[in-house]
Amino acid sequence: MSNKIDNLLVKETLTRDELSFLISLEGVERDYFLKSVGNKYVETLGKKVYFRGLVEFSNYCTKDCYYCGIRKSNNHSERYDIDDQAIIEAAIFAHENKYGSLVLQSGERSDTTFTSRITNLLKAIKKATNGELGITISLGEQSEEVYREWFEAGAHRYLLRIESSNKELYYKIHPEDEKHNFETRINCLKTLQKIGYQTGTGVMIGLPLQSYEQLADDLLFFKDMNIDMVGMGPFIEHTETPLYAHKDILWPLQRRFDVSLNMIAALRLLMPDINIAAATALQAIDPMGREKALRYGANVIMPNITPTLHRKDYTLYENKPCTDEGAEDCSNCLSIRVEMAGREIGYSEWGDSKHYFKRQGKSN
Ligand code: SAM
Ligand code: SF4
């Protein structure tokens, strides 16, 4: 068996069957595969891990994704919107603590009050941090004009998960309507790339009725789309969402976690030069979840620096970690954790995706 894994470790590219095989590994073969990818990755790309301070600044959302705890129809969600000054202060905290970059994330809104606010906020953050803080945004589907406006205001990376690249599964986890259109989501990714963003996507792992083959297709989707960054992690059910009705057919949490690490390692083989984030949802299952991801292929971690008062309300799924710690506690605990994973922190570095520069024909 390890012979087969050894052969796959050195292959130029991997087929759907080979990826499904790797994603579904268990037991000693799985341990062997994960450790081999970890070692190979450190030899070729080094030990650096980059921090992105995550600010989940608002949980108002106009969409109704069937899996998400802050979906519009969840009347039990306590809604909040952090004011601009507090967001700028969080950005200054990230800058002073040498995080290198910031991620701004929220529910999806496309009204001009919101989009203009973001433009002004991006400019204010750039100004307050001498243009030194990198900014990633994750604010859902927007028009090309809005994406361009935000890019010009200072955002240079964008995260928009496809959630599942399988159209049929996509419509099992989203309403089939104009607001949740599969092709629109793919077109948004293409628009982001055209504008010049480092473009990130990702999927949830362990969705109801999801197969290893579909997960393998997700990895091939990232490659076909020439994606620069990926953030993917386990699906975790939330009681106040429609998908909760399927909780009995889900893989056990531990299996969702294990397969998520297999996905990260398999993706690292398939796309050696992209950025891969250690998703927060990993930590909701295993307290050392993100560190394990760093060992086996991930190179980005996103300490949550959302002002603590509101953290508990950005509840996408049950058991969300670090909802009651201050930002400082969070960063201290993380630096120790990163070192325990045998990695080094790239302090004050943007940690851009090497793949992006290759795609653009530039060197970074
Ligand atoms: N609203 C924006 C969007 O959807 O692109 C950004 C914020 S959204 C909360 C960020 C990500 O949270 C989604 O892309 C989704 O993959 C993840 N998420 C939502 N509900 C989840 C759940 N129950 N389990 C795991 N991840 C979840
Ligand atoms: Fe809104 Fe994003 Fe949650 Fe969908 S995943 S309901 S768009 S916050």
Side-chain angles (χ1 to χ4, degrees), residues 328-344:
E328 210 121 16
D329 302 335
C330 224
S331 78
N332 287 340
C333 97
L334 259 174
S335 46
I336 295 166
R337 283 152 169 267
V338 168
E339 280 155 28
M340 276 164 62
R343 296 306 186 109
E344 283 162 15

Side-chain angles (χ1 to χ4, degrees), residues 56 58 60-61 63 65-70 104-109 138-141 158-163 174 185 202-205 207 231-238 241 243 281 314-318:
E56 295 163 329
S58 170
Y60 283 95
C61 187
K63 289 177 77 170
C65 308
Y66 291 153
Y67 42 86
C68 180
I70 61 171
L104 291 179
Q105 192 175 71
S106 73
E108 187 174 310
R109 279 178 59 183
S138 177
L139 307 172
E141 295 166 31
Y158 204 104
L159 296 173
L160 184 74
R161 285 185 174 181
I162 189 67
E163 316 295 359
H174 297 98
R185 204 143 178 106
V203 293
M204 283 177 288
I205 298 160
L207 288 162
M232 55 183 173
F235 162 64
I236 302 177
E237 64 274 27
H238 186 291
T241 61
L243 280 200
Y314 200 81
T315 311
L316 312 177
Y317 43 81
E318 313 289 295

Side-chain angles (χ1 to χ4, degrees), residues 291-309:
E291 295 68 18
K292 289 182 183 167
L294 294 179
R295 277 183 202 274
Y296 307 131
N299 65 331
V300 167
I301 192 156
M302 306 200 290
N304 195 334
I305 58 166
T306 308
T308 315
L309 188 62

Side-chain angles (χ1 to χ4, degrees), residues 58-225:
S58 170
N59 64 358
Y60 283 95
C61 187
T62 55
K63 289 177 77 170
D64 242 342
C65 308
Y66 291 153
Y67 42 86
C68 180
I70 61 171
R71 64 197 297 269
K72 179 178 168 220
S73 300
N74 179 9
N75 300 324
H76 295 110
S77 164
E78 183 95 20
R79 302 290 164 170
Y80 72 89
D81 198 353
I82 297 177
D83 66 68
D84 289 0
Q85 194 46 41
I87 301 173
I88 294 166
E89 275 161 25
I92 292 170
F93 170 89
H95 185 231
E96 285 175 350
N97 283 275
K98 305 193 171 65
Y99 279 15
S101 300
L102 186 76
V103 180
L104 291 179
Q105 192 175 71
S106 73
E108 187 174 310
R109 279 178 59 183
S110 46
D111 52 285
T112 41
T113 313
F114 179 78
T115 60
S116 311
R117 173 197 174 191
I118 298 299
T119 306
N120 293 330
L121 186 59
L122 290 167
K123 289 181 184 161
I125 292 171
K126 277 283 168 197
K127 194 164 170 225
T129 60
N130 305 323
E132 286 165 7
L133 194 67
I135 308 180
T136 305
I137 47 178
S138 177
L139 307 172
E141 295 166 31
Q142 304 289 343
S143 66
E144 176 167 348
E145 197 186 2
V146 167
Y147 281 151
R148 211 175 273 286
E149 187 175 304
W150 290 346
F151 185 72
E152 281 159 13
H156 66 127
R157 294 186 286 239
Y158 204 104
L159 296 173
L160 184 74
R161 285 185 174 181
I162 189 67
E163 316 295 359
S164 168
S165 66
N166 181 288
K167 190 170 170 178
E168 225 171 280
L169 182 56
Y170 188 88
Y171 284 122
K172 289 203 170 96
I173 62 170
H174 297 98
E176 196 160 348
D177 62 19
E178 215 184 302
K179 250 194 151 339
H180 303 80
N181 185 283
F182 181 70
E183 276 80 23
T184 304
R185 204 143 178 106
I186 294 185
N187 285 335
C188 280
L189 287 171
K190 291 183 182 160
T191 304
L192 290 164
Q193 288 176 317
K194 184 176 83 181
I195 293 171
Y197 281 97
Q198 288 178 50
T199 305
T201 191
V203 293
M204 283 177 288
I205 298 160
L207 288 162
L209 299 176
Q210 194 177 34
S211 66
Y212 293 124
E213 288 73 22
Q214 287 171 344
L215 289 168
D217 285 340
D218 289 338
L219 299 184
L220 291 169
F221 170 85
F222 303 152
K223 190 162 166 97
D224 288 347
M225 288 285 293

